[in-house]
C-alpha cells in the first residue's frame, strides 16, 4: 500500500468513526431530549394549570349541584329539607313556608343558571373556603294575581366539610328584607314614592297628599301624578312585600297582569332623613332642615316642622350672616386675606343708617377678617363694602348657583341676589339682608359648594332631571381653600361652638336674619355647614327662632349626633 493509499484509508476510517459517533449522539441525544422535554419546567407548569382548571370546573359543578338540590327541595315544598342545605336552616325553612302559604303558587318552577366565582369574606379566606354566585329564575302562577317571574341569585360557600347556600331574605326574592315575606293583598295600583334604598318614603316628608279618588293633590304626589297613577285605577289583588309580624302589605310588586303606576325614585337616605326629623322633633317654631351630598347634589334629607308646607325647598328667607360665605368669597377674590386686619366696631354708619352686631358686641382692636367671619361681625363686613362694586355679590352668588333655574325634580326656590343699586343696598347685602333671599336648600348647597370646591346642582328625583343648572363660573381654588379654613374657625373659635368636639370635623356658618318691621326686629335663626370627613352638607332654619349660634346650632348638633356611626350612603 502506497503512502497515498494509506492516507486515504486513514481518512475513510476517521470519517466512519465520526459518523458512528454522530449517529450515536443523535440517537442518544434524542432520547435525552425527550426525557428532558418530559420534565421541563414549562410542561410542569402546564400540567399544574390543567389541574387547576379541572379543579375550578369541579368546584363550579359542585356549586351547581348544591344549588339544584336546594331548589329541587324548594320546588317540591320540602321546606325543612331545603333549609338544611343552607347556613340558616330554621330561618330559610320558615320564610319559604311563609311565602308559599301566602301565595299558593301553582305551577311553580326554578331554573338554575351557571355559577360564577365570587370574592370570599375574610373568615372564608382564612379557612380556605370558596364562594360562588348562582343566578336563578323563579316562575309561578298565583291565584287572583296571575303569572309572575323574577330573577334572583344565591351564594354558595364551599368548605372542606360541606357546601352550603348562604341564606338571607333577599336570596329568596331580591326585594325582601329581614322580617318580610311575600303575600297576596288588595292594594292601590298607584305607584309609590321611594327613598334611595327602594323603600316607601314616609308620608311625613315632602311626599304630598292623595285625595279619596286616588289623585295627587300636593307635593311629589301631585307633580308625578300621571306617572304614579299609570294606566290603572283603584285597587287590585297584587303580590306585595309584607311585614311578617303585622301582616301589613308594605308595597306591591310589579307583575305582567297588574296595571300599576310607575314608582318615583328619590335620593332620600332613610338614615339621614330619620336623623333630620328627630333633630326637629322638639322645636316649637316652624323649622326646616336639609341635607345633601355635595359631590353629586343628591338631596339626602328634607324635614319640615310642621309638615305640610315645604319651607325647606320653596321658602324665601333673608339668609342673614350665612350669606357671609358668599360675601367672603367676593372679598377674597378682591384680594383680602383671612389674616388681614378687619376691625369690628360697635356700629357702622352708612348714609345715616346704623348697622350693628347682635347684642352690640365688638372684637378687640387688630382683629382679622377670619375673626370677623368666625364671630359673625356685621360691622366688619359692612365696613368692607368699598372693596366690592355693585355687581360683585351677584356675580359671586352665581358661582354658587344662586339665581339660576334649578332642575331638581321638585319645586324649589333657587335664591335671588340682585345687582346692588347703591352703597346702602350693597351694605345690607354684605350681611345677607336687604334684597338677598334664599331657601334652606339653597343655603345647604352653598355649604356643599365650599365642601366640593364647585357648584353641583341639588337633585331629588334624578330620573326627572333633564337640564341640571350649570354655574356660569367656578370659584378660584385658593378662595375655596380660605373659605374652608374660615368655616372651620367658626366651630373651633367662633359662634359655632354648639358643634365643637363633634366627630367628622364640622365646618359651619351661623346666621341671624332680621325680617319684618317690628321693634325690636324679629329674627330667623340659621346654621349651615358640612362635614370634612364625609360627603355631607346641611342647613338648619328656625323661623322667628332667635340666634343662629344659640338656637339653630343645637339643632344642627343634634342632627349630626343622630348620624354618628351611620353617615350618608
Amino acid at each position: 500500500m502506497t503512502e497515498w493509499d494509506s492516507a486515504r484509508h486513514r481518512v475513510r476510517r476517521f470519517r466512519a468513526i465520526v459518523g458512528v459517533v454522530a449517529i450515536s449522539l443523535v440517537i442518544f441525544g434524542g432520547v435525552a431530549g425527550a426525557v428532558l422535554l418530559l420534565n421541563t419546567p414549562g410542561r410542569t407548569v402546564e400540567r399544574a394549570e390543567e389541574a387547576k382548571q379541572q379543579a375550578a370546573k369541579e368546584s363550579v359543578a359542585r356549586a351547581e349541584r348544591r344549588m339544584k338540590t336546594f331548589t329541587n327541595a324548594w320546588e317540591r315544598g320540602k321546606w325543612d329539607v331545603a333549609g338544611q342545605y343552607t347556613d340558616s336552616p330554621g330561618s330559610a325553612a320558615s320564610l319559604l313556608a311563609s311565602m308559599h302559604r301566602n301565595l299558593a303558587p301553582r305551577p311553580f318552577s326554578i331554573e338554575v343558571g351557571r355559577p360564577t366565582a365570587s370574592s370570599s369574606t375574610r373568615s372564608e379566606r382564612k379557612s380556605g373556603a370558596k364562594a360562588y354566585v348562582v343566578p336563578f329564575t323563579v316562575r309561578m302562577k298565583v291565584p287572583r294575581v296571575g303569572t309572575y317571574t323574577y330573577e334572583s341569585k344565591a351564594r354558595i360557600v364551599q368548605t372542606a366539610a360541606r357546601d352550603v347556600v348562604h341564606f338571607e331574605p333577599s336570596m329568596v326574592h331580591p326585594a325582601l328584607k329581614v322580617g318580610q315575606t311575600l303575600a297576596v293583598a288588595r292594594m292601590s295600583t298607584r305607584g309609590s314614592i321611594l327613598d334611595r334604598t327602594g323603600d316607601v318614603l314616609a308620608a311625613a316628608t315632602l311626599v304630598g297628599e292623595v285625595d279619596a279618588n286616588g289623585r295627587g293633590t300636593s307635593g311629589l304626589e301631585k307633580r308625578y301624578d300621571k306617572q304614579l297613577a299609570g294606566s290603572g285605577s283603584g285597587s287590585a289583588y297584587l303580590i306585595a312585600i309584607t311585614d311578617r309580624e303585622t301582616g301589613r302589605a308594605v308595597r306591591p310588586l310589579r307583575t305582567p297582569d297588574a296595571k300599576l303606576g310607575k314608582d318615583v325614585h328619590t335620593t332620600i337616605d332613610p338614615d339621614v332623613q330619620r336623623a333630620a326629623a328627630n333633630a326637629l322633633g322638639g322645636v316649637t317654631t316652624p323649622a326646616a332642615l336639609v341635607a345633601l351630598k355635595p359631590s353629586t347634589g343628591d338631596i339626602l334629607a328634607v324635614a319640615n316642622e310642621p309638615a305640610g308646607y315645604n319651607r325647606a325647598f320653596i321658602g324665601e328667607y333673608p339668609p342673614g350672616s350665612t350669606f357671609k360665605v358668599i360675601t367672603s368669597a367676593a372679598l377674597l377674590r378682591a384680594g383680602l386675606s383671612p389674616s388681614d386686619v378687619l376691625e369690628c366696631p360697635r356700629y357702622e354708619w352708612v348714609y345715616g343708617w346704623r348697622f350693628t352686631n347682635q347684642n352690640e358686641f365688638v372684637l378687640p382692636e387688630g382683629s382679622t377678617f377670619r375673626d370677623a367671619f368666625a364671630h359673625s361681625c356685621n360691622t366688619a363686613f359692612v365696613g368692607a363694602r368699598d372693596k366690592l362694586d355693585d355687581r360683585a355679590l351677584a356675580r359671586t352668588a352665581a358661582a354658587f348657583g344662586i339665581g339660576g333655574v334649578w332642575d331638581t325634580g321638585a319645586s324649589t326656590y333657587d335664591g335671588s341676589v340682585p345687582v346692588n343699586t347703591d352703597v346702602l343696598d350693597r351694605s345690607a347685602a354684605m350681611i345677607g339682608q336687604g334684597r338677598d333671599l334664599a331657601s334652606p336648600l339653597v343655603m345647604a348647597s352653598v355649604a356643599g359648594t365650599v365642601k366640593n370646591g364647585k357648584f353641583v346642582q341639588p337633585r331629588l328625583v334624578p330620573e326627572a332631571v333633564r337640564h341640571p343648572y350649570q354655574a356660569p363660573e367656578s370659584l378660584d381654588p385658593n378662595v375655596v381653600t380660605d373659605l374652608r379654613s374660615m368655616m372651620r374657625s367658626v366651630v373651633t373659635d367662633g359662634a359655632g361652638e354648639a358643634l365643637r368636639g363633634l366627630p367628622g370635623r364640622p365646618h359651619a356658618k351661623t346666621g341671624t336674619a332680621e325680617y319684618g318691621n317690628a321693634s325690636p326686629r324679629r329674627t330667623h335663626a340659621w346654621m349651615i355647614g358640612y362635614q370634612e370627613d364625609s360627603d355631607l352638607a346641611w342647613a338648619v332654619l328656625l323661623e322667628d327662632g332667635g340666634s343662629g349660634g344659640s338656637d339653630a346650632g343645637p339643632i344642627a348638633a343634634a342632627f349630626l349626633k343622630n348620624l354618628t356611626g351611620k353617615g350618608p350612603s
Side-chain angles (χ1 to χ4, degrees), residues 118 151 185 192 230 298 318-319 399 416 505 534:
S118 172
E151 295 181 349
S192 300
D298 286 359
S416 176
R505 291 180 57 83
S534 61

Side-chain angles (χ1 to χ4, degrees), residues 264-566:
V264 173
H265 295 263
T266 73
T267 57
I268 296 296
D269 182 296
D271 289 331
V272 182
Q273 180 65 39
R274 196 174 302 113
N278 290 341
L280 294 186
V283 302
T284 57
T285 183
L289 196 159
V290 181
L292 53 80
K293 195 171 186 177
S295 64
T296 63
D298 286 359
I299 297 168
L300 303 175
V302 185
N304 292 287
E305 186 61 40
Y309 172 61
N310 193 1
R311 60 183 52 80
F313 276 17
I314 62 175
E316 301 179 24
Y317 303 95
S321 291
T322 58
F323 189 80
K324 288 173 183 168
V325 173
I326 295 168
T327 306
S328 294
L331 290 171
L332 289 165
R333 183 156 61 178
L336 196 64
S337 170
S339 60
D340 288 345
V341 171
L342 197 64
E343 298 291 352
C344 176
R346 190 177 304 276
Y347 306 120
E348 181 71 22
W349 293 87
V350 180
Y351 291 160
W353 189 273
R354 188 183 72 173
F355 291 87
T356 188
N357 303 314
Q358 191 171 28
N359 300 322
E360 298 188 358
F361 76 84
V362 298
L363 293 179
E365 185 177 348
S367 293
T368 64
F369 180 20
R370 179 187 300 277
D371 297 328
F373 184 88
H375 295 276
S376 205
C377 178
N378 290 337
T379 58
F381 276 81
V382 174
R385 61 191 177 275
D386 291 336
K387 296 182 182 295
L388 304 177
D389 60 35
D390 283 339
R391 306 187 67 86
L393 291 177
R395 177 187 170 197
T396 305
F400 287 84
I402 295 178
V405 178
W406 294 5
D407 181 9
T408 66
S411 297
T412 59
Y413 174 68
D414 307 325
S416 176
V417 179
V419 172
N420 301 133
T421 56
D422 54 40
V423 174
L424 183 58
D425 184 46
R426 184 165 74 246
S427 297
M430 298 280 286
I431 56 174
Q433 299 284 177
R435 296 183 295 151
D436 293 347
L437 292 173
S439 65
L441 174 62
V442 165
M443 296 315 296
S445 178
V446 166
T449 298
V450 178
K451 162 72 175 180
N452 191 53
K454 64 178 181 179
F455 171 74
V456 175
Q457 184 212 272
R459 60 182 187 176
L460 181 68
V461 185
E463 64 189 19
V465 175
R466 298 290 180 266
H467 304 288
Y469 179 70
Q470 304 289 328
E473 60 180 285
S474 297
L475 296 170
D476 183 275
N478 294 325
V479 169
V480 172
T481 298
D482 286 339
L483 287 176
R484 290 170 178 165
S485 174
M486 292 164 72
M487 289 183 73
R488 181 59 181 161
S489 294
V490 172
V491 177
T492 58
D493 303 304
E497 60 183 338
L499 309 186
R500 209 165 290 168
L502 292 184
R505 291 180 57 83
H507 292 54
K509 183 66 193 80
T510 57
T512 305
E514 294 183 346
Y515 73 97
N517 298 314
S519 184
R521 300 289 288 275
R522 310 292 288 271
T523 57
H524 299 314
W526 287 89
M527 181 177 270
I528 68 173
Y530 68 87
Q531 300 301 94
E532 182 175 315
D533 296 347
S534 61
D535 199 1
L536 179 72
W538 42 268
V540 174
L541 166 74
L542 291 178
E543 285 188 16
D544 199 19
S547 167
S550 60
D551 295 299
I555 293 175
F559 166 64
L560 296 177
K561 289 175 183 176
N562 292 341
L563 273 180
T564 300
K566 296 179 181 177

Side-chain angles (χ1 to χ4, degrees), residues 107-192:
F108 178 84
S109 64
I110 304 173
E111 180 182 342
V112 175
R114 185 71 174 166
T116 56
S118 172
S119 58
S120 302
T121 64
R122 182 180 299 178
S123 61
E124 289 169 353
R125 287 194 297 272
K126 288 181 67 175
S127 64
K130 297 179 181 178
Y132 291 85
V133 171
V134 186
F136 62 96
T137 303
V138 176
R139 294 182 175 88
M140 67 177 84
K141 188 172 184 179
V142 178
R144 298 183 295 180
V145 175
T147 57
Y148 181 48
T149 301
Y150 69 88
E151 295 181 349
S152 190
K153 56 188 176 182
R155 192 168 185 272
I156 309 294
V157 180
Q158 297 179 347
T159 65
R162 63 186 296 230
D163 300 348
V164 296
V165 179
H166 174 60
F167 170 77
E168 52 188 354
S170 61
M171 180 267 289
V172 177
H173 188 286
L176 286 177
K177 297 183 178 180
V178 174
Q180 295 179 335
T181 187
L182 297 182
V184 174
R186 191 166 186 87
M187 298 187 71
S188 168
T189 55
R190 186 177 179 84
S192 300

Side-chain angles (χ1 to χ4, degrees), residues 23-253:
I23 291 170
S24 300
L25 286 174
V26 169
I27 293 172
F28 288 101
V31 173
V35 172
L36 287 173
L37 181 62
L38 290 174
N39 293 280
T40 56
R43 180 58 178 166
T44 302
V45 170
E46 184 179 337
R47 284 184 168 180
E49 183 61 29
E50 289 175 354
K52 183 178 178 181
Q53 291 177 0
Q54 183 60 33
K57 289 180 181 178
E58 291 175 359
S59 290
V60 169
R62 279 174 54 189
E64 188 172 358
R65 286 195 300 271
R66 171 55 71 217
M67 187 62 189
K68 286 184 175 179
T69 56
F70 167 71
T71 57
N72 286 340
W74 180 0
E75 284 179 323
R76 298 197 312 271
K78 305 293 184 181
W79 322 129
D80 290 336
V81 175
Q84 293 302 316
Y85 296 124
T86 76
D87 54 10
S88 186
S91 298
S94 176
L95 179 56
L96 293 177
S98 167
M99 170 179 158
H100 281 259
R101 265 196 317 269
N102 296 337
L103 300 181
R106 192 178 300 274
F108 178 84
S109 64
I110 304 173
E111 180 182 342
V112 175
R114 185 71 174 166
T116 56
S118 172
S119 58
S120 302
T121 64
R122 182 180 299 178
S123 61
E124 289 169 353
R125 287 194 297 272
K126 288 181 67 175
S127 64
K130 297 179 181 178
Y132 291 85
V133 171
V134 186
F136 62 96
T137 303
V138 176
R139 294 182 175 88
M140 67 177 84
K141 188 172 184 179
V142 178
R144 298 183 295 180
V145 175
T147 57
Y148 181 48
T149 301
Y150 69 88
E151 295 181 349
S152 190
K153 56 188 176 182
R155 192 168 185 272
I156 309 294
V157 180
Q158 297 179 347
T159 65
R162 63 186 296 230
D163 300 348
V164 296
V165 179
H166 174 60
F167 170 77
E168 52 188 354
S170 61
M171 180 267 289
V172 177
H173 188 286
L176 286 177
K177 297 183 178 180
V178 174
Q180 295 179 335
T181 187
L182 297 182
V184 174
R186 191 166 186 87
M187 298 187 71
S188 168
T189 55
R190 186 177 179 84
S192 300
I193 298 173
L194 309 178
D195 64 25
R196 71 192 294 117
T197 68
D199 284 339
V200 178
L201 267 178
T205 59
L206 57 118
V207 170
E209 301 290 336
V210 178
D211 65 18
N213 296 317
R215 289 191 296 267
T217 58
S218 63
L220 297 181
E221 293 283 6
K222 180 178 180 180
R223 184 183 181 97
Y224 295 99
D225 184 64
K226 184 175 181 180
Q227 173 180 331
L228 291 164
S231 59
S233 61
S235 62
Y237 283 105
L238 305 167
I239 298 176
I241 304 296
T242 304
D243 186 278
R244 292 189 68 179
E245 184 175 344
T246 65
R248 181 180 67 86
V250 177
R251 69 182 178 92
L253 296 175

